[in-house]
Amino acid sequence: MFTKLEKSFELTVMFFGLTNLLATFHIIMNKILQDLIKTRKIMSFIDAVIVGTKEKEEHDEVVEEVVKRLTENDLYTKK
C-alpha cells in the first residue's frame, strides 16, 4: 500500500517494474502459507506454490486451503 497526500493506493495487480517487488511478494506468500510450509505439505517460490502429498484426498484438501487463504488475502490464481 502506498500513501499519498490525500489518500492511499493499494495494488490490485503486481507491477513488475518496481524494485524488489518479487521478493516482497515472495515474503507475503511465505507469511500467508507459513504453517503449510512448515509441515512440508507445500513449497512456495515467488509466484509458484507446489503441493506435495502422498494421498490424492490430502492433496485436494491442501489445494483448497491454499486457494482459500489466497482469496482471504485478496490474491487470486489463474486457471
Side-chain angles (χ1 to χ4, degrees), residues 8-43:
S8 60
F9 173 72
E10 187 172 345
L11 295 174
T12 56
V13 295
M14 191 165 26
F15 299 119
F16 286 97
L18 297 176
T19 305
N20 295 329
L21 187 64
L22 291 178
T24 303
F25 184 72
H26 184 64
I27 290 168
I28 292 169
M29 293 295 289
N30 284 343
K31 190 173 183 179
I32 292 170
L33 304 170
Q34 184 176 20
D35 60 320
L36 292 173
I37 293 170
K38 285 183 179 178
T39 59
R40 298 182 178 255
K41 293 182 180 182
I42 67 165
M43 289 176 29

Side-chain angles (χ1 to χ4, degrees), residues 17-76:
L18 297 176
T19 305
N20 295 329
L21 187 64
L22 291 178
T24 303
F25 184 72
H26 184 64
I27 290 168
I28 292 169
M29 293 295 289
N30 284 343
K31 190 173 183 179
I32 292 170
L33 304 170
Q34 184 176 20
D35 60 320
L36 292 173
I37 293 170
K38 285 183 179 178
T39 59
R40 298 182 178 255
K41 293 182 180 182
I42 67 165
M43 289 176 29
S44 170
F45 182 73
I46 302 179
D47 62 346
V49 177
I50 301 167
V51 178
T53 58
K54 294 182 180 180
E55 303 294 326
K56 179 160 177 27
E57 294 79 22
E58 183 182 13
H59 179 84
D60 294 342
E61 291 172 7
V62 172
V63 170
E64 286 179 21
E65 181 64 24
V66 168
V67 171
K68 179 180 147 225
R69 290 183 189 194
L70 294 176
T71 305
E72 288 172 353
N73 288 280
D74 296 323
L75 300 170
Y76 67 95

